[in-house]
Amino acid sequence: MARKEGGVRQKKDAPLRSDAQRNRERILEVALEELTRSAGVPLSAIAKKAGVGQGTFYRHFPTREALVLEIYRHEMQQVADTAPALLESREPDRALREWMDRLARFAMTKAGLADAIRQATSAPGQPEKPGHAPVTEAAELLLRAAEEAGTIRPGVTASDLFLVIGGLWTMDPHTDWQPRATRLLDFVMDGLRVGAAGG
């Protein structure tokens, strides 16, 4: 009997993969919003707002630490994944500038989640914060494309870019940060262009 029930369960689960993915995305979306507001928000409150049961929630994210680090990794990967798509539909310098706006939004996400990330990674034996490799690779892709197109000065690395725009990470995500970020990134982009001194 148990075997039969198990078989039925497997058949039922197969078509639910897309539902499971939607549940996961919804949990991440709600958790980002709630944890940005308060690092100590109960996981049960996140599950309730996401419209999923406790069992479903914990199947995806068994601990608070797993949830926080997955939000961080997910948001970072989203930023990285936009780079190739932007290059397909924009001139390389325009793609780079638009990608920088997405990077600014990620910086605000990281700033908003700072307390939750600190809590998730500070205890002994807790996992480390995910590395920045996807975003670094995306930046290099865009910089090399713009360099090859002759629209930015040669030799600028992703490390250079992140150092120059480091001010993004000091902005308060709870303020009207977007106009200031736009001015900063326009200024940086002007400096990257070929006509700039030293270009």
Side-chain angles (χ1 to χ4, degrees), residues 73-86:
R73 189 206 65 75
H74 180 263
E75 293 296 307
M76 181 165 49
Q77 193 63 52
Q78 294 279 91
V79 174
D81 288 347
T82 60
L86 284 169

Side-chain angles (χ1 to χ4, degrees), residues 4-185:
K4 185 177 178 184
E5 286 176 356
V8 170
R9 195 175 301 120
Q10 283 179 358
K11 283 179 188 171
K12 277 188 172 179
D13 285 352
L16 293 179
R17 284 183 190 153
S18 60
D19 287 345
Q21 184 60 29
R22 279 194 294 274
N23 284 338
R24 185 178 180 279
E25 294 289 331
R26 177 68 181 146
I27 292 168
L28 288 171
E29 179 186 324
V30 169
L32 171 58
E33 182 184 327
E34 294 300 311
L35 287 166
T36 298
R37 193 175 295 130
S38 169
V41 64
L43 297 185
S44 58
I46 295 173
K48 184 175 181 182
K49 189 166 181 182
V52 300
Q54 298 278 352
T56 298
F57 183 94
Y58 285 108
R59 262 197 306 279
H60 288 287
F61 304 107
T63 65
R64 174 178 292 272
E65 293 74 25
L67 173 63
V68 170
L69 295 180
E70 180 56 19
I71 293 168
Y72 182 71
R73 189 206 65 75
H74 180 263
E75 293 296 307
M76 181 165 49
Q77 193 63 52
Q78 294 279 91
V79 174
D81 288 347
T82 60
L86 284 169
L87 280 174
E88 285 179 11
S89 58
R90 313 271 193 286
E91 291 299 316
D93 59 331
R94 191 66 241 159
L96 175 61
R97 178 61 189 82
E98 287 190 32
W99 185 79
M100 286 160 66
D101 284 333
R102 295 172 195 228
L103 186 65
R105 286 195 291 275
F106 171 64
M108 292 304 97
T109 296
K110 184 181 175 186
L113 283 174
D115 288 342
I117 292 169
R118 214 169 8 254
Q119 289 173 18
T121 57
S122 61
Q126 295 295 2
E128 292 183 2
K129 192 165 65 174
H132 294 107
V135 169
T136 301
E137 289 165 11
E140 286 290 350
L141 175 70
L142 290 158
L143 288 166
R144 298 294 67 83
E147 182 180 327
E148 286 168 23
T151 53
I152 65 166
R153 61 176 66 201
V156 179
T157 66
S159 179
D160 296 333
L161 179 65
F162 296 146
L163 191 61
V164 171
I165 63 176
L168 289 173
W169 276 262
T170 67
M171 292 183 189
D172 184 346
H174 302 104
T175 63
D176 185 21
W177 57 267
Q178 286 176 304
R180 194 171 185 194
T182 297
R183 286 196 303 275
L184 171 67
L185 295 177

